[in-house]
Amino acid sequence: MSNATHSATLLISAPDKKGLVAAIANFLMTYNANIMHADQHQDNVEGLFLMRVQWDLRGFTLPMDDFAAAFEPIAREHDMSWKVSLSSRKPRMAIFVSKYEHCLVDLLHRWRIGELECDIPLVISNHEDCRRLVEFNDIPFHVIPVTKENKAEAEAEQFRLLEEAGIDLVVLARYMQVLSHEFVTRYPNKVINIHHSFLPAFDGAKPYHRAFARGVKLIGATSHYVTEDLDEGPIIEQEVTRISHRDEVDDLVQKGRDLEKVVLSRAVRWHLDQRILSYSNKTVIFD
């Protein structure tokens, strides 16, 4: 069993000034922390200091139940925003999907082999298409049809299921419905989406067909947190691949699927590993 299974991770953002690293390190050393990883970033434009620090809990003399009370005076002194997580507690992730299954398949495979450290208590869809795949993995599958007329009722049922399951993260694995303002505000920086990178030039229906008609030389995929501005939320990961004049529409679609599933899985893994800090509608991804 690796040290990581007995670790805690602290994410911090604060107005940048001298002494922040020392304050954090000295606090942890006071309680005999063995720091395993530490990474930091200064945003000179925003005047922000951002840090991720992970330490081994074996030998750490401060009970984690008392961590918040002990750390709060330092956080208050330096005007820090912070959160701490324990590797022993797996985040609980819900997946939303419609009919396209490539992202769902990739997520379930990575989860099954232990690459994604989380529990998946349920999958929610507005169609029946993926039921067999999900139930093969022994995960409850809930179909909630969504129309213009029943959208509020459908989301109320989604909220009920998510709350009952104690969900920490919602992943939209090609879920082809627009989330409401209420949904997004309930889960700030806790809803991850994937889309083709043609936005905004090729938004709407059949983006690959429209890209093909323009003779594009690159296609891509973008994963981001969902905000009230929908696809304008903080970007987590992007990837591109080149397109040849020999490629047909089907080739673009196939290459796009490959990009989408890899980019989404990377974003989900980094979120689960507590490697992302979001601010000013952008993100820092710590190594």
Side-chain angles (χ1 to χ4, degrees):
M1 189 172 292
S2 68
N3 288 348
T5 60
H6 303 279
S7 67
T9 300
L10 181 65
L11 288 172
I12 295 168
S13 63
D16 191 21
K17 64 179 181 179
K18 292 181 179 179
L20 289 172
V21 173
I24 296 163
N26 289 337
F27 170 81
L28 293 175
M29 289 303 297
T30 298
Y31 300 101
N32 197 41
N34 176 22
I35 295 176
M36 302 161 60
H37 302 285
D39 195 7
Q40 67 193 66
H41 173 67
Q42 283 80 27
D43 187 317
N44 295 323
V45 175
E46 299 284 341
L48 275 179
F49 169 85
L50 306 110
M51 186 175 190
R52 178 186 187 269
V53 56
Q54 182 182 16
W55 68 98
D56 191 343
L57 287 176
R58 289 176 294 191
F60 189 59
T61 59
L62 176 64
M64 289 307 295
D65 288 343
D66 300 328
F67 183 89
F71 187 69
E72 185 56 34
I74 293 175
R76 192 165 50 246
E77 176 185 354
H78 298 285
D79 195 20
M80 295 178 180
S81 298
W82 63 277
K83 67 176 181 177
V84 67
S85 60
L86 302 178
S87 59
S88 58
R89 182 193 178 276
K90 287 186 177 182
R92 295 173 65 79
M93 181 175 83
I95 302 175
F96 281 39
V97 65
S98 289
K99 293 185 176 183
Y100 300 115
E101 64 181 35
H102 55 287
C103 289
L104 172 66
V105 170
D106 192 66
L107 289 168
L108 293 179
H109 170 69
R110 295 175 190 272
W111 166 73
R112 195 169 58 247
I113 65 175
E115 186 176 314
L116 298 179
E117 289 286 342
C118 66
D119 292 325
I120 306 178
L122 76 167
V123 172
I124 294 176
S125 181
N126 54 332
H127 297 283
E128 285 282 349
D129 300 57
C130 296
R131 177 181 293 278
R132 189 173 178 183
L133 168 65
V134 173
E135 292 182 345
F136 174 79
N137 286 276
D138 295 323
I139 299 172
F141 183 75
H142 301 271
V143 174
I144 303 175
V146 181
T147 65
K148 291 181 180 179
E149 291 73 25
N150 80 334
K151 190 172 182 65
E153 292 81 2
E155 282 202 348
E157 177 63 9
Q158 292 169 352
F159 292 150
R160 184 187 69 80
L161 291 170
L162 296 176
E163 289 169 7
E164 285 183 357
I167 293 301
D168 301 300
L169 173 67
V170 175
V171 178
L172 307 181
R174 295 305 307 271
Y175 181 64
M176 310 303 287
Q177 292 289 327
V178 176
L179 302 183
S180 71
H181 168 78
E182 182 183 0
F183 197 115
V184 175
T185 54
R186 279 197 184 209
Y187 296 95
N189 285 339
K190 294 180 180 179
V191 181
I192 296 178
N193 191 25
I194 184 69
H195 64 68
H196 51 82
S197 285
F198 301 131
L199 293 175
F202 298 102
D203 60 347
K206 296 187 175 182
Y208 291 106
H209 293 73
R210 296 169 64 196
F212 175 77
R214 284 289 307 275
V216 299
K217 304 307 180 190
L218 290 171
I219 63 169
T222 298
S223 188
H224 63 95
Y225 287 120
V226 179
T227 64
E228 295 178 49
D229 294 324
L230 302 176
D231 289 333
E232 301 299 320
I235 292 171
I236 303 171
E237 174 64 335
Q238 293 180 298
E239 189 62 86
V240 297
T241 191
R242 293 203 64 82
I243 296 301
S244 164
H245 60 277
R246 302 183 188 281
D247 287 323
E248 302 292 343
V249 171
D250 288 346
D251 299 313
L252 268 66
V253 172
Q254 178 265 314
K255 290 182 177 183
R257 283 197 302 259
D258 288 346
L259 290 173
E260 288 167 8
K261 63 186 182 183
V262 171
V263 169
L264 179 59
S265 289
R266 285 180 193 161
V268 170
R269 184 172 68 250
W270 293 338
H271 180 98
L272 295 175
D273 289 348
Q274 305 296 324
R275 295 187 179 276
I276 305 174
L277 267 175
S278 176
Y279 68 100
S280 300
N281 206 42
K282 57 185 176 182
T283 61
V284 165
I285 314 294
F286 291 108
D287 295 335

